[in-house]
Amino acid sequence: MCMKTTSRQIGFSLTGWAAICALLFFLVAAADASQPEKLTVSATSDSVWESFDAALESVRSDLTDMEQGLGQWERLKNSTLQEIEAFRVQNAVHENLLLSLDNDIDTLESALNANRIALARLSERIEEFEKIGVVAPELLEELSDRIAIAEKRLSELKGEGVSGGQNREIYKKLKNLLDILYAKKKQGSAFIKKHAELLDTLGRTRSDLAKTRQQLQMRLQSQTKAKLFERHLLRFKILNVKNIAAELNAAAHRVTYVARPTFWTQQWLKFQYVGGTAQAIFLVLFFTVVLLRKKIWRLFQKAEVRLEGPDGSARQLAVMLFRRSFFLICASFFLWLYDLLKLPYVNYHIVHFLNQAIFTLLLTRWGVDYFQNRLNVFNSDLNQLVQKRCVNLFRMLRIVIIIHLALIGIVDDESITAWLFGLAIQAFLAIWTIRFWRAVDDKMIAIARQGESAPSQILLHTVRGWNQLVVSAAIVIDLIGYHTLAGHWLISWAKTFALILWAYLGWLAIQEWHQSQKAATVPQASAKDPKLAAPVSWLVVQMTRLLWFSAVLAGILTSWAGSDFTLKTIGAFFKLDFSVGSLTVSVKGILLAIVLFFVTQAATRIGTRFLSEKVLDSKDFERGLKDSIVTITNYVVWGLGILLALGLLGVNATSLAVVFGALSIGIGFGLQNIFNNFISGLILLFERPIQVGDCIEVNGLWAEVKKIRVRATIVQTFDNATVIIPNSDLISQQVTNWSFKDPRMRRHVDVGVAYGSDIEMVRKTLLEIPEGIPDVLKYPRPDVLFMDHGDSALIFRLRYWTHVNNYYSTSTAIRFELDHRFRQLGIEIAFPQMDLHLRSNETKGPEKNADGNGFERPEPLPQGG
């Protein structure tokens, strides 16, 4: 039942406000009127007497006006009480409605909307009167202070005596002023008392309406669920021309009633009750979008141009769909947000029709645009067939569904006319489905004959089965009597179709964006000043994927169960917890811990780049020190992140003590090597005997340190082989660090010359050779040592200094140049010589061979010699 009121009640709201403002003004005026009490007896000038008389006359006039204002206040109070009585009658009707077991959903929705309007009106009234209740007592207290001052002045005059003419006149006027102030205080006290009573009545009425609203919401939810599975078979019995004609006559009467002034007068009264603030805000936002439509469209068109190409096809299509349906999206979003906030409607039936009609237009708009611009994965002929049929289907559905919605709004959802029209739409969908798949089968046969590539049979069978299931199930469910369930079935699948469409485009858009971000970070790796965008973009991509997954789950729940059920389910899911021993873990804590993990990972990446590139690179630090600072910072950030994640999971200090106790036992038995390597890694980072970039020698292996990690150190040999050395080996074994504190190293090349060579020339030549090698350091200067007189050579040693990275190259270059110079100068490089002595038997003559030639047979060596 919608509440009824008169134009007189609405008019009193304006005059009542004027009365309240006048009343408060008069209370303030009382403070100004008491100013003459500051006058002394010595003030005898004519101007003072005139101002005193004028003030007294003003207070008397204010008292008269105040009485008139109080009269208007009484009328306002009576008007408000009439509104309260109307709301109570409406609430009683709604309570009687709740007593009935079989209520129509549309009636419950209308009652709930009327209840919201009444609550909004009462809340507005209470807010207005509460503001008055704050100001009025303060003004009355100020008036009491003025009265106290006047009484004090009057008592002073009595003490001084009133024998003089002037004193008697002042006493008389001051007495009149006090009488007027007393009257004002009396009227003000009465006003505050009546105001408190009225405010209490408003509060109790609002409380009763709020309880009824909760009961209406609960009944509406239960009734909606019950009606969903409620079976009606009486439609076939009452299906006749007479009943249809009666419904059409009733529909015509409702249509003509909308055109009458009475209908619009009621809507205006409801708008005044609602207040119109929320509606005005949403309308202003929508019309702002309308005024800025050209600029918004230009921005979308520019985005489409930037996304042209295979790398942005999905994003371009999404932007195009959003641009072409932007106004419908805004209108649908505003209506959805308004409904989500549970704000009252001026007319529930009109808004319900607009909501469903806008969703229909939006869904069909997306379907037409998608099939016209995206369907390009099949053969061209089949593509044209599917595009043409689907586009025509969406355009046809756009018209018939809106007509069906209008018919439901006029006659009723339970009417025979609306039911027959709905069956006709379902029959049309069934016929279209049969003809469509026959045409697809014929086209597939033609494709097979031509030997062209056909689309996936699995995909075709999946789509065919889904299409036939949706249409045939809707008809069967409706024919067996579950009309509401059939409508819910089709509407939910329509919402699911929109969800699948945008989920598919959203996932492709995320993947394209991720690939573009990865491609953008490749040139940054070789840049001198790399940006910090890569970790941020990675975090944004991961969070976007998580939001995509959450939105798809929430969308599925909303499509089939409604937004209220979805919100309750999500809330219950987040509050779900389970116990593992003494540890209680909640789903909310797990999700927050996962989010914190990604945030910590992104923080370490961003912090590493920022610390190394923006802070440490500007300082004159060693490379190893910089790497140690960055690594230790990462450990600290990860440690804090893990502690916070454990706190979100519900792990307290006691649980941590248990975990660390178990960890210590595990370290003692099987994890001591891992723990040893971890501690050794910390020692390497803090003590820094080995730093990143150092050239070390471990067990004869020369390599450069690339990274010091938690468990092991990664080194790279000069043969470009990566070797992973446990940190404990670097701490417990002997390691030669060739670049510790100083990357210079002294190397030598030994050479032996023949006896008799000019040793001064050898020395001079050896000193000249390093001068032509660019990688040999000039300081310290090279020198030559005469090492030894060897068995077959004079041994010289050339010593020189070079960078550790040029160890092999310099020695090779020096040996090439040394051989070349010695050949030019004729200096012989000695080689080992060996004298072979042959001993013969002198008592035997030479033996003869077969030809008679003699040769001397050597004496055989003794055994073991």
Side-chain angles (χ1 to χ4, degrees):
M1 171 183 176
C2 298
M3 58 185 176
K4 299 180 180 179
T5 185
T6 61
S7 60
R8 180 184 177 189
Q9 294 173 359
I10 301 301
F12 274 148
S13 62
L14 300 177
T15 57
W17 258 112
I20 293 171
C21 295
L23 180 61
L24 295 178
F25 173 74
F26 298 146
L27 289 175
V28 177
D32 297 334
S34 63
Q35 293 298 328
E37 64 196 37
K38 296 181 181 179
L39 297 175
T40 60
V41 180
S42 61
T44 58
S45 62
D46 295 336
S47 60
V48 173
W49 284 108
E50 291 176 359
S51 62
F52 197 100
D53 294 336
L56 187 59
E57 186 63 27
S58 176
V59 172
R60 290 172 180 171
S61 177
D62 289 345
L63 180 61
T64 303
D65 294 338
M66 185 176 181
E67 292 175 352
Q68 297 178 358
L70 287 174
Q72 294 179 353
W73 157 256
E74 288 293 333
R75 290 190 292 272
L76 175 63
K77 184 185 72 173
N78 295 332
S79 174
T80 305
L81 290 176
Q82 291 179 4
E83 290 183 1
I84 292 173
E85 185 63 25
F87 293 147
R88 286 177 175 174
V89 172
Q90 172 187 289
N91 194 50
V93 173
H94 292 168
E95 289 177 348
N96 294 332
L97 184 65
L98 291 171
L99 294 176
S100 177
L101 297 178
D102 187 13
N103 294 320
D104 185 38
I105 292 180
D106 188 67
T107 304
L108 291 174
E109 289 280 7
S110 300
L112 185 59
N113 186 65
N115 181 273
R116 290 172 180 169
I117 294 176
L119 281 173
R121 179 63 173 175
L122 285 176
S123 299
E124 182 181 356
R125 285 290 193 185
I126 290 174
E127 184 179 358
E128 294 172 357
F129 288 125
E130 283 179 348
K131 292 179 181 179
I132 299 172
V134 173
V135 178
E138 296 178 356
L139 296 177
L140 188 62
E141 184 179 357
E142 184 179 354
L143 181 61
S144 301
D145 295 339
R146 298 298 181 180
I147 291 174
I149 295 174
E151 289 177 346
K152 180 181 178 182
R153 184 56 185 154
L154 191 64
S155 62
E156 290 177 355
L157 286 176
K158 287 182 180 181
E160 294 176 358
V162 291
S163 58
Q166 293 180 352
N167 289 342
R168 285 196 299 272
E169 188 67 22
I170 292 175
Y171 181 84
K172 181 180 179 181
K173 292 182 179 294
L174 193 57
K175 190 71 170 59
N176 292 334
L177 179 63
L178 272 175
D179 293 338
I180 296 173
L181 293 178
Y182 285 145
K184 279 191 172 186
K185 182 177 180 181
K186 182 179 179 180
Q187 293 178 352
S189 301
F191 165 76
I192 291 176
K193 181 179 179 181
K194 294 178 181 179
H195 170 268
E197 293 175 353
L198 182 59
L199 191 61
D200 181 66
T201 304
L202 287 170
R204 284 187 280 105
T205 305
R206 185 174 66 173
S207 178
D208 294 339
L209 290 177
K211 293 179 181 178
T212 305
R213 182 188 64 179
Q214 294 178 356
Q215 295 175 356
L216 286 172
Q217 290 176 346
M218 294 175 62
R219 173 61 64 84
L220 181 62
Q221 293 177 0
S222 61
Q223 195 70 18
T224 302
K225 295 178 181 178
K227 186 180 179 181
L228 192 62
F229 299 99
E230 186 178 4
R231 188 178 183 184
H232 295 282
L233 295 176
L234 297 177
R235 288 189 177 91
F236 294 100
K237 297 181 180 180
I238 61 176
L239 180 60
N240 53 59
V241 179
K242 183 179 179 180
N243 291 333
I244 295 176
E247 288 183 356
L248 293 178
N249 290 331
H253 177 72
R254 292 182 182 180
V255 172
T256 55
Y257 178 73
V258 173
R260 295 177 183 176
T262 306
F263 173 79
W264 296 105
T265 302
Q266 291 181 353
Q267 306 310 310
W268 172 247
L269 293 177
K270 290 182 180 180
F271 181 79
Q272 289 180 325
Y273 273 134
V274 173
T277 304
Q279 292 90 337
I281 292 174
F282 282 96
L283 287 176
V284 168
L285 291 175
F286 181 75
F287 283 115
T288 302
V289 173
V290 174
L291 294 176
L292 299 176
R293 63 186 184 280
K294 292 184 178 179
K295 293 184 179 179
I296 296 174
W297 282 344
R298 287 197 210 99
L299 292 176
F300 286 143
Q301 288 175 349
K302 291 180 180 178
E304 291 180 38
V305 173
R306 289 196 302 268
L307 294 172
E308 287 182 353
D311 295 336
S313 58
R315 287 177 290 174
Q316 184 184 23
L317 179 59
V319 172
M320 188 272 294
L321 292 178
F322 195 85
R323 176 179 62 84
R324 292 177 64 87
S325 58
F326 179 70
F327 288 137
L328 293 175
I329 291 175
C330 291
S332 180
F333 173 75
F334 289 148
L335 289 174
W336 172 80
L337 183 61
Y338 195 90
D339 184 68
L340 183 65
L341 297 176
K342 305 297 182 183
L343 298 175
Y345 297 113
V346 175
N347 191 298
Y348 166 75
H349 299 284
I350 295 177
V351 175
H352 186 65
F353 167 74
L354 288 176
N355 200 345
Q356 293 182 337
I358 289 174
F359 174 74
T360 302
L361 294 173
L362 189 60
L363 183 61
T364 54
R365 176 79 268 174
W366 287 341
V368 170
D369 292 338
Y370 178 80
F371 282 101
Q372 284 182 341
N373 297 276
R374 180 65 179 178
L375 197 59
N376 54 6
V377 296
F378 296 155
N379 180 268
S380 60
D381 294 336
L382 184 60
N383 184 23
Q384 293 177 2
L385 172 66
V386 174
Q387 284 182 344
K388 183 179 179 180
R389 295 291 181 94
C390 292
V391 168
N392 292 335
L393 172 65
F394 280 108
R395 288 174 177 172
M396 183 69 68
L397 288 177
R398 179 186 304 169
I399 300 174
V400 297
I401 291 177
I402 291 179
I403 295 175
H404 186 224
L405 293 175
L407 187 62
I408 291 174
I410 295 173
V411 294
D412 194 1
D413 188 21
E414 300 294 335
S415 63
I416 301 175
T417 307
W419 174 64
L420 288 177
F421 198 89
L423 276 179
I425 295 176
Q426 296 173 17
F428 164 74
L429 289 175
I431 296 172
W432 182 90
T433 301
I434 295 173
R435 297 185 60 186
F436 173 77
W437 287 110
R438 284 182 179 177
V440 170
D441 291 338
D442 295 339
K443 188 62 65 176
M444 290 292 295
I445 294 173
I447 291 174
R449 289 175 180 176
Q450 295 173 3
E452 299 178 358
S453 59
S456 173
Q457 294 294 328
I458 298 177
L459 178 62
L460 284 178
H461 289 311
T462 302
V463 176
R464 183 200 297 263
W466 170 78
N467 190 0
Q468 294 175 350
L469 173 65
V470 172
V471 176
S472 60
I475 296 177
V476 173
I477 292 172
D478 204 344
L479 289 177
I480 62 178
Y482 296 100
H483 173 67
T484 305
L485 181 60
H488 178 74
W489 172 267
L490 290 176
I491 293 173
S492 299
W493 273 116
K495 294 179 180 179
T496 305
F497 169 76
L499 177 65
I500 293 174
L501 172 65
W502 281 103
Y504 172 68
L505 291 178
W507 180 257
L508 292 180
I510 294 173
Q511 295 298 105
E512 290 178 356
W513 182 34
H514 190 202
Q515 294 299 327
S516 63
Q517 293 294 329
K518 290 173 63 177
T521 57
V522 173
Q524 293 180 3
S526 59
K528 294 182 179 179
D529 187 17
K531 306 298 182 183
L532 299 177
V536 177
S537 62
W538 176 86
L539 176 64
V540 173
V541 169
Q542 301 304 323
M543 292 294 103
T544 305
R545 288 175 175 172
L546 181 61
L547 290 177
W548 176 89
F549 182 75
S550 303
V552 170
L553 290 180
I556 293 174
L557 290 175
T558 304
S559 300
W560 290 91
S563 58
D564 294 337
F565 177 80
T566 302
L567 294 176
K568 291 181 180 179
T569 304
I570 293 175
F573 177 73
F574 278 116
K575 293 179 181 179
L576 183 65
D577 55 8
F578 53 91
S579 299
V580 180
S582 60
L583 178 63
T584 302
V585 182
S586 64
V587 175
K588 179 181 178 181
I590 293 174
L591 295 177
L592 291 177
I594 293 174
V595 173
L596 183 61
F597 172 80
F598 285 111
V599 172
T600 304
Q601 188 174 8
T604 54
R605 290 190 177 188
I606 298 172
T608 298
R609 286 198 172 190
F610 180 81
L611 186 63
S612 61
E613 298 167 6
K614 304 299 181 182
V615 179
L616 297 179
D617 286 350
S618 61
K619 307 297 182 180
D620 189 15
F621 291 157
E622 298 177 356
R623 179 184 174 185
L625 178 59
K626 295 179 182 179
D627 188 78
S628 298
I629 294 174
V630 171
T631 304
I632 293 171
T633 304
N634 288 341
Y635 290 167
V636 172
V637 173
W638 272 112
L640 293 177
I642 292 173
L643 289 177
L644 292 175
L646 291 176
L648 292 174
L649 290 175
V651 180
N652 52 23
T654 305
S655 301
L656 287 177
V658 174
V659 171
F660 285 127
L663 184 62
S664 62
I665 296 174
I667 291 172
F669 284 98
L671 300 178
Q672 57 180 356
N673 290 332
I674 296 177
F675 190 76
N676 185 18
N677 290 325
F678 174 74
I679 298 300
S680 300
L682 294 179
I683 294 174
L684 291 176
L685 290 174
F686 281 99
E687 187 179 346
R688 294 187 295 111
I690 297 174
Q691 306 180 39
V692 175
D694 286 354
C695 184
I696 63 174
E697 182 181 0
V698 182
N699 297 327
L701 177 67
W702 283 65
E704 180 183 358
V705 179
K706 291 297 183 180
K707 190 68 177 178
I708 301 176
R709 297 189 179 274
V710 177
R711 188 191 65 84
T713 298
I714 300 175
V715 299
Q716 187 174 14
T717 66
F718 295 153
D719 295 332
N720 200 27
T722 300
V723 181
I724 300 175
I725 303 175
N727 292 330
S728 59
D729 293 347
L730 298 178
I731 294 297
S732 60
Q733 296 182 7
Q734 180 179 351
V735 179
T736 302
N737 191 344
W738 288 100
S739 57
F740 184 73
K741 300 299 182 180
D742 191 352
R744 299 178 303 170
M745 63 182 306
R746 188 173 67 179
R747 306 303 297 167
H748 62 269
V749 175
D750 294 338
V751 61
V753 299
Y755 277 92
S757 301
D758 189 350
I759 59 175
E760 288 297 332
M761 182 180 294
V762 172
R763 181 176 179 276
K764 180 180 178 183
T765 304
L766 290 176
L767 291 175
E768 291 176 353
I769 289 175
E771 295 178 358
I773 308 300
D775 293 332
V776 176
L777 301 179
K778 305 301 180 181
Y779 299 97
R781 300 181 63 85
D783 60 349
V784 177
L785 300 179
F786 194 160
M787 299 298 296
D788 194 8
H789 288 80
D791 294 337
S792 57
L794 302 176
I795 308 301
F796 290 87
R797 173 173 291 180
L798 172 63
R799 299 191 305 179
Y800 61 92
W801 289 81
T802 185
H803 196 277
V804 67
N805 293 332
N806 303 321
Y807 164 63
Y808 283 114
S809 60
T810 53
S811 60
T812 300
I814 287 175
R815 287 189 172 92
F816 271 107
E817 186 65 20
L818 186 148
D819 185 77
H820 178 68
R821 291 284 190 94
F822 279 17
R823 288 180 183 274
Q824 287 183 345
L825 298 175
I827 300 175
E828 181 182 358
I829 299 177
F831 53 87
Q833 298 180 4
M834 181 180 296
D835 293 333
L836 181 61
H837 299 277
L838 299 178
R839 297 172 58 188
S840 60
N841 192 356
E842 297 179 355
T843 59
K844 293 182 179 181
E847 295 182 0
K848 303 291 185 180
N849 57 10
D851 297 334
N853 298 324
F855 63 91
E856 186 176 355
R857 181 185 300 269
E859 182 178 359
L861 294 175
Q863 295 294 330

